[in-house]
Amino acid sequence: MADSWVNSWVDSPLDSWVDSAQRIGADLHLDLSAASGPGGRRATLIRALREAVRSGRLAPGTRLPPYRSLAADLGVARNTVADAYAELVAEGWLTSRQGSGTKVAERAEPLPRAERVPRKTPPRARGPRHDLRQGTPDASAFPRAAWLASSRRALQQAPNEAFGPGDPAGRVELREALTEYLARARGVRTEPGRIVICSGFAHALRLLFHRDRGGAGGVLRGPLAVEAYGLGFHRELLAAEGVRTTPLPLDDDGARVDRLTARERAVVLTPAHQFPTGGPLHPERRAAVVDWARARGGVILEDDYDGEFRYDRKPVGAVQGLDPEHVIFIGSVSKSLSPAVRLGWMVLPERYVGDVLAAKGEREGWASVLDQLSLADFIVSGSYDRHVRRMRQRYRSRRDRLVAALAVHAPHIDVTGVAAGLHAVLRLPPGTERSTVKAATWQGVALDGLAEFRHPAATEPGMPVRDGVVVGYATPPEHAYGAALEALCAVLPPDGG
């Protein structure tokens, strides 16, 4: 006999699908060909079941399919399966009780020790005792109950076509919800047809700049101007696509957009809260960079990095509102909600929508429809606003505690970038950054040195090297935050270096 997949599901009658006498249970794979030998089908089935239990493939307590279902799938008489079960019960391999079905006995003979397949358990990497790395919200604060409620409503209300191939632009429910929310909260001017759902900022960069091996494709091309300090991961992603990036100096008013030239075709900015040094882009520079894009036919990629989290006044609105035809606004829920929810969005000038959708291509790269529907409900129901407001209060409290702790234990350390976001920059005495990060590692404190974010080509005058550490005060769970601050203050260099 050939291998047979025994198809069965729940131990209950399904009159609309099978004969009223047939019951269905769990899937069970039996290698009947390997159990061939003397005797008929009953003997073969007994040998196959006994070997499945002996080898450990059917673990103690595993519930077997009802004999009616197993008989129907194997094409044998019900009595054949019933007799096989009965014999194995008598031998002690199986147990059978009224109302609980037939199960593998708890004391069934195990696989001999020498023949057992070792269970491979991957070693657990030891994490730091205190994680103060940037870029991650407090994972313990994920709004599980509200998200579950939205997921249930979304699933109940979803039209049948939502479970089909779908739209590469993303679910219309989410694009409509984002249109209203971004206009209200971020000052973005758009419509659902100009929003494309992606899985985050990095995915957006890939869609915009990806080219095939022959160099063809790419919605946008370099050279691309970027801020002198930013995420190295994004620069590496662009370099892999053959995009050359040129750094723009930073000062207290943000990026020096006056240093943009005719060579650059686009510029990436974090205008709401420069990452990682902090501070919004000055209003005059916002207007200036829009003028540059209009004059040169260029485009601004606006990374709305933690744009919702401003503590001392209302959040700074999006540059996109100044000129929707020359700004690509990119946002996600990785900071406001969770990086585990892989959802982001691009608000595009009309001329780029078709090319981006073509670049998105195969469905395998699309975000989960169920997550999109859940997020749409989460926004429309007001749960997203409530969560952001709650986390804004929590993170502001954490920022205040950080500033207060430094004022007491390290008053010589300047703190910058604290008006917004999920992190702060601690300015260190010259030449002490590397030793401070090393000392922190020894003491189980994880944090990032400022040098890690510096563009490798940022060596011109006006781009001074700054010593500092980036402290992600949102990352630790609430109960561990006080201890994390104590450990941080203990590793900072003393006054005078």
Side-chain angles (χ1 to χ4, degrees), residues 2-46:
D3 288 5
S4 172
W5 277 99
V6 179
N7 300 312
S8 46
W9 306 297
V10 182
D11 191 12
S12 61
L14 298 177
D15 296 340
S16 60
W17 289 89
V18 294
D19 181 81
S20 60
Q22 182 179 340
R23 294 179 181 272
I24 47 184
D27 284 347
L28 173 62
H29 175 70
L30 291 177
D31 189 355
L32 298 181
S33 62
S36 60
R41 291 189 173 185
R42 172 179 170 277
T44 299
L45 178 58
I46 289 174

Side-chain angles (χ1 to χ4, degrees), residues 201-219:
F201 188 81
H203 186 209
L205 287 182
R206 290 189 178 97
L207 291 174
L208 291 169
F209 289 97
H210 176 70
R211 288 185 283 176
D212 60 28
R213 293 182 179 179
V219 179

Side-chain angles (χ1 to χ4, degrees), residues 156-474:
Q156 290 170 347
Q157 298 170 8
N160 292 335
E161 53 88 12
F163 302 97
D167 186 340
R171 288 298 304 179
V172 66
E173 294 92 339
L174 179 55
R175 291 185 283 120
E176 289 176 345
L178 286 170
T179 297
E180 186 278 333
Y181 172 78
L182 294 174
R184 171 171 51 82
R186 307 296 299 120
V188 170
R189 293 191 288 154
T190 190
E191 56 191 31
R194 293 170 64 165
I195 296 177
V196 173
I197 303 303
C198 57
S199 62
F201 188 81
H203 186 209
L205 287 182
R206 290 189 178 97
L207 291 174
L208 291 169
F209 289 97
H210 176 70
R211 288 185 283 176
D212 60 28
R213 293 182 179 179
V219 179
L220 301 177
R221 290 177 176 260
L224 174 68
V226 298
E227 294 161 330
Y229 284 83
L231 282 174
F233 168 67
H234 292 161
R235 294 193 296 266
E236 293 167 3
L237 184 156
L238 291 164
E241 299 294 347
V243 178
R244 183 169 63 88
T245 58
T246 58
L248 293 175
L250 295 168
D251 60 22
D252 293 340
D253 291 331
R256 290 283 306 276
V257 296
D258 58 307
R259 301 285 289 272
L260 287 167
T261 70
R263 294 190 303 273
E264 288 87 26
R265 303 183 183 186
V267 57
V268 179
L269 298 173
T270 51
H273 183 229
Q274 201 289 318
F275 178 84
T277 62
L281 187 64
H282 193 278
E284 291 183 1
R285 293 187 182 179
R286 287 171 164 246
V289 73
V290 169
D291 289 342
W292 167 84
R294 289 170 176 167
R296 302 293 183 182
V299 64
I300 303 161
L301 276 63
E302 181 174 9
D303 180 0
D304 195 40
Y305 193 92
D306 58 32
E308 292 99 340
F309 296 111
R310 189 162 190 87
Y311 309 120
D312 299 329
R313 56 190 176 91
K314 291 184 179 180
V316 178
V319 171
Q320 190 268 1
L322 298 177
D323 191 338
E325 293 305 321
H326 287 91
V327 181
I328 297 176
F329 179 89
I330 306 172
S332 76
V333 297
S334 64
K335 307 298 181 295
S336 58
L337 190 58
S338 169
V341 182
R342 303 304 306 156
L343 286 176
W345 46 84
M346 284 186 282
V347 179
L348 297 160
E350 188 173 359
R351 66 185 183 278
Y352 292 128
V353 174
D355 290 339
V356 169
L357 293 179
K360 204 170 181 187
E362 297 295 332
R363 290 195 295 270
E364 283 72 14
W366 300 1
S368 164
V369 165
L370 296 181
D371 284 345
Q372 292 184 56
L373 292 171
S374 297
L375 180 58
D377 182 274
F378 199 68
I379 294 172
V380 171
S381 68
S383 296
Y384 188 68
D385 283 273
R386 288 190 290 273
H387 174 72
V388 168
R389 286 197 298 270
R390 182 169 60 252
M391 298 313 298
R392 188 183 294 136
Q393 293 173 354
R394 177 177 297 187
Y395 294 147
R396 177 172 182 169
S397 173
R398 290 194 180 192
R399 179 207 65 173
D400 293 345
R401 291 172 64 186
L402 169 64
V403 173
L406 291 170
V408 173
H409 300 288
H412 57 288
I413 301 294
D414 291 331
V415 190
T416 65
V418 295
L422 307 182
H423 69 274
V425 175
L426 310 189
R427 296 287 180 84
L428 301 180
T432 64
E433 177 182 320
R434 183 175 298 181
S435 61
T436 300
V437 173
K438 191 173 183 180
T441 301
W442 286 343
Q443 297 300 319
V445 180
L447 73 170
D448 300 305
L450 191 57
E452 296 181 26
F453 304 97
R454 183 178 174 85
H455 194 290
T459 57
E460 300 178 13
M463 298 188 195
V465 176
R466 305 169 179 175
D467 277 64
V469 289
V470 181
V471 177
Y473 51 77

